C-alpha cells in the first residue's frame, strides 16, 4: 500500500505538497517523520539530468520517484506493492498536479505551498489501495506505462550517506549495463574462436594422418 507521498520542485528541492500515513512505523522504531526526512533528502539530491523514474530501498519499505515537468513525485510503499501500480499512482498525481498548479509551481516561495493537494492524494491512495480498482485504471496500467522492470533500484544509504545524486547513480547503472553487454560480446567472441580452434586442430590432425598414410603406402 501507499504509505507516504511527497511532491517537490526539482530545481531547489522545495517540498510543495505532502501526505503521510499516521501509522508508519517499522520494527526498528522509525516513524513517519524519519521517512519524511529521507524523502526531503532525495529531493535535495536531485539533478537536472536525474532519471525520470527511480526506486530507492529503505527497509522495510521502498521509495518510488517520478520526475515530470521539473517536479518530483515521491511515494513510500510496502515492497509488496506492485511497482506498476506505484508508478501509475504517481503519474495520476503528476497529471492532476500540473493541471491545478502548472503556472504557479515556479512561483512558490515557501514549503508546502500547495498542501491542499493532499485531498486529491488521499483520493488516489484510496483508489489504488482498493482491490476493486476501476477498469479504466487497470487499462491504464496495461497500455500507458512503460516497462518498469529496468527502472534503477538503489538503497537510501547510497543517496543520503554518500551524498550522491540520482544522476550519478543512474550513470553507474548505465555503466554496469554497458560492461555487461561488453562481457556478453567478449564471451561470444571467445566461444567462436574456441570453436574455430577446435575445427582447425581437427583438420590439422586429418591432414597429418593423410600425409603419414601416404608416406607408408607409397
Amino acid at each position: 500500500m501507499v504509505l507516504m507521498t511527497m511532491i517537490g520542485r526539482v530545481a531547489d528541492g522545495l517540498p510543495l505538497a505532502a501526505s503521510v500515513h499516521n501509522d508508519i512505523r517499522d520494527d526498528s522504531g522509525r516513524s513517519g517523520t524519519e521517512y519524511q526526512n529521507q524523502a526531503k533528502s532525495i529531493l535535495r539530491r536531485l539533478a537536472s539530468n536525474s532519471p525520470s523514474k527511480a526506486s530507492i530501498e529503505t527497509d522495510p519499505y521502498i521509495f518510488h520517484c517520478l520526475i515530470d515537468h521539473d517536479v518530483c513525485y515521491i511515494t513510500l510503499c510496502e515492497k509488496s506493492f506492485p511497482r506498476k501500480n506505484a508508478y501509475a499512482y504517481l503519474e495520476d498525481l503528476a497529471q492532476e498536479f500540473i493541471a491545478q498548479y502548472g503556472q504557479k509551481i515556479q512561483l512558490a516561495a515557501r514549503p508546502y505551498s500547495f498542501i491542499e493537494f493532499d485531498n486529491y492524494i488521499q483520493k488516489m491512495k484510496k483508489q489504488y489501495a482498493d482491490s476493486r480498482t476501476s477498469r479504466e485504471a487497470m487499462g491504464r496500467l496495461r497500455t500507458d506505462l512503460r516497462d518498469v522492470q529496468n527502472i534503477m533500484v538503489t538503497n537510501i544509504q547510497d543517496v543520503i550517506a554518500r551524498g550522491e545524486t540520482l544522476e550519478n547513480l543512474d550513470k553507474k547503472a548505465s555503466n554496469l549495463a554497458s560492461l555487461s553487454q561488453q562481457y556478453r560480446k567478449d564471451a561470444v567472441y571467445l566461444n567462436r574462436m574456441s570453436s574455430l580452434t577446435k575445427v582447425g586442430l581437427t583438420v590439422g590432425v586429418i591432414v597429418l594422418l593423410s600425409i603419414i598414410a601416404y608416406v607408408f603406402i607409397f
Side-chain angles (χ1 to χ4, degrees):
M1 65 179 296
V2 174
L3 300 172
M4 187 199 80
T5 302
M6 183 172 290
I7 300 173
R9 196 163 55 196
V10 172
D12 53 7
L14 180 72
L16 301 173
S19 179
V20 181
H21 195 291
N22 293 329
D23 297 331
I24 299 179
R25 186 172 293 277
D26 58 32
D27 294 338
S28 64
R30 288 183 292 183
S31 65
T33 301
E34 182 164 349
Y35 290 109
Q36 274 187 296
N37 291 334
Q38 289 183 356
K40 291 176 183 177
S41 294
I42 293 172
L43 283 175
R44 288 194 297 269
R45 284 163 174 78
L46 293 175
S48 58
N49 293 324
S50 292
S52 60
K53 293 180 180 180
S55 295
I56 302 170
E57 294 181 338
T58 176
D59 289 334
Y61 305 122
I62 186 167
F63 284 108
H64 298 293
C65 309
L66 168 71
I67 296 178
D68 182 64
H69 288 84
D70 296 321
V71 177
C72 184
Y73 303 84
I74 302 174
T75 186
L76 179 71
C77 301
E78 295 173 333
K79 287 188 176 180
S80 59
F81 190 70
R83 280 201 286 174
K84 283 190 176 182
N85 293 48
Y87 283 104
Y89 164 75
L90 292 176
E91 290 193 355
D92 275 329
L93 294 187
Q95 183 176 350
E96 183 65 21
F97 192 78
I98 292 299
Q100 289 191 31
Y101 308 110
Q103 302 300 319
K104 303 176 182 178
I105 292 171
Q106 299 306 322
L107 300 177
R110 58 184 177 81
Y112 307 107
S113 295
F114 312 119
I115 195 63
E116 69 276 6
F117 191 69
D118 181 46
N119 294 329
Y120 186 80
I121 294 175
Q122 293 296 336
K123 174 184 174 183
M124 298 310 297
K125 282 171 63 176
K126 183 177 184 302
Q127 177 177 320
Y128 280 87
D130 191 343
S131 60
R132 298 167 298 173
T133 303
S134 67
R135 291 183 180 179
E136 180 181 352
M138 291 305 294
R140 187 167 184 271
L141 287 176
R142 289 193 298 268
T143 59
D144 288 353
L145 282 178
R146 291 173 292 178
D147 185 13
V148 298
Q149 297 303 315
N150 295 323
I151 292 176
M152 177 190 67
V153 179
T154 187
N155 188 278
I156 191 68
Q157 297 305 320
D158 292 329
V159 178
I160 296 176
R162 296 210 300 263
E164 294 184 288
T165 64
L166 293 182
E167 178 187 7
N168 291 338
L169 292 171
D170 190 44
K171 287 180 179 178
K172 288 183 177 181
S174 298
N175 289 339
L176 286 174
S178 297
L179 288 173
S180 178
Q181 291 179 356
Q182 186 60 46
Y183 174 80
R184 286 195 294 269
K185 289 180 180 178
D186 291 344
V188 171
Y189 174 77
L190 289 174
N191 287 335
R192 185 177 300 165
M193 291 302 295
S194 176
S195 298
L196 290 175
T197 300
K198 291 178 180 178
V199 171
L201 288 173
T202 301
V203 172
V205 170
I206 292 173
V207 171
L208 180 60
L209 291 175
S210 298
I211 293 174
I212 293 173
Y214 179 83
V215 170
F216 278 99
I217 293 173
F218 296 99

